[in-house]
Amino acid sequence: MDLNNTKILICDDSVLSRKQVMDAVNSFAEGATYIEAKNGDEAVALYKEHHPHLVFMDIVMPEKDGTTALSEIISYDSDALVIVISSIGTQGQLKMAIENGAKDFIQKPIDRAQLKRVLEARLRLGGN
């Protein structure tokens, strides 16, 4: 899958989790540019600066949680493509994320096949 000219913002307070998302995407796609944020404040600022095509957002983070950051990004750009990736995947969290504008939800640990399906569907890409 070719992701050339695709900017992906990954927001998670864990460096390891950000790397796992990048590694998962890179296992079936190439060419993406990654932007990393360690909290919701950084995610909102980097979104406004870089206008990424896709955002992966954790929910539980210091300084500003993912739910608040998601709402601020959607308020700034109602077309933002935000996918929540979290280990706290309760039905309530999923419902709140979708109500706040998330386009999808992926449970940690990341299932690469699910991630690939989400990318193909949301970025309208064909698999290679």
Side-chain angles (χ1 to χ4, degrees):
M1 182 184 310
D2 182 4
L3 293 178
N4 285 327
N5 303 315
T6 302
K7 289 187 266 185
I8 299 175
L9 171 61
I10 302 171
C11 182
D12 197 303
D13 57 314
S14 165
V15 172
L16 179 60
S17 291
R18 294 193 307 265
K19 183 175 181 343
Q20 288 172 337
V21 173
M22 285 185 268
D23 288 347
V25 173
N26 287 332
S27 72
F28 55 81
E30 55 187 38
T33 300
Y34 297 99
I35 305 157
E36 296 182 61
K38 65 180 179 288
N39 60 53
D41 281 329
E42 282 187 7
V44 173
L46 289 169
Y47 188 90
K48 290 177 178 180
E49 179 181 347
H50 295 280
H51 304 282
H53 299 94
L54 177 64
V55 178
F56 290 112
M57 180 79 68
D58 188 19
I59 292 176
V60 179
M61 294 181 292
E63 296 181 42
K64 181 177 289 177
D65 67 21
T67 304
T68 303
L70 166 65
S71 295
E72 289 181 20
I73 288 171
I74 295 297
S75 291
Y76 173 77
D77 177 3
S78 62
D79 294 325
L81 182 51
V82 180
I83 309 298
V84 171
I85 298 182
S86 184
S87 58
I88 60 165
T90 66
Q91 289 297 323
Q93 290 292 339
L94 171 59
K95 184 176 184 232
M96 186 184 308
I98 299 300
E99 286 174 355
N100 287 335
K103 303 299 189 249
D104 219 322
F105 186 97
I106 297 175
Q107 179 87 25
K108 288 180 185 177
I110 296 168
D111 177 291
R112 290 177 186 220
Q114 181 187 17
L115 180 63
K116 183 177 181 182
R117 285 191 301 274
V118 167
L119 280 175
E120 288 173 345
R122 299 301 176 178
L123 295 177
R124 307 285 187 250
L125 301 169
N128 290 358

